[in-house]
Amino acid sequence: MTTALNYHQKAYVCIHVFAEERPVLLVSRPDGDWCLLCGDEHVEDASEYRVVGLGHMVDQDASIEAALDLEFGWEAERSAGDHPWQKRPIPAEEPDRG
Ligand SMILES: [Zn+2]
């Protein structure tokens, strides 16, 4: 590893990534916690996610490491497992004007 990555840093992964069914295509860091997701829709339910060590994910897929220099409030997305990461600030939720 080239970054000062805390191997045991907590990361939330979706069940698809956890089961190694799909590659990580979306990395986000909304408030300091890392989320590594397959990019598909997920139900907002704890049963859809698992908590793992961040270093374990990098061991599994070294290309993830290139996305792990995100600041708080940023996300990185790629369209396939061998594509470069596109980093951007996480879009703000549209305020409910209803
Ligand atoms: Zn998923």
Side-chain angles (χ1 to χ4, degrees):
M1 281 182 215
T2 55
T3 52
L5 185 65
N6 180 352
Y7 194 93
H8 299 288
Q9 170 73 46
K10 187 170 68 173
Y12 293 94
V13 303
C14 73
I15 50 173
H16 311 109
V17 168
F18 184 80
E20 298 184 46
E21 287 174 8
R22 297 180 195 161
V24 175
L25 297 182
L26 178 66
V27 175
S28 68
R29 199 183 187 193
D31 53 14
D33 282 333
W34 292 93
C35 302
L36 281 55
L37 310 173
C38 69
D40 256 354
E41 297 288 322
H42 300 94
V43 184
E44 285 293 331
D45 188 274
S47 66
E48 290 280 296
Y49 302 93
R50 298 286 184 272
V51 176
V52 300
L54 194 54
H56 174 75
M57 296 307 299
V58 175
D59 285 349
Q60 196 171 295
D61 180 355
S63 65
I64 292 170
E65 191 179 356
L68 297 184
D69 59 355
L70 294 178
E71 308 277 346
F72 287 5
W74 280 62
E75 64 186 11
E77 189 174 25
R78 59 183 176 176
S79 46
D82 56 354
H83 285 212
W85 293 101
Q86 307 291 329
K87 297 172 187 172
R88 59 176 180 235
I90 296 173
E93 297 272 334
E94 280 293 314
D96 185 3
R97 293 168 213 270

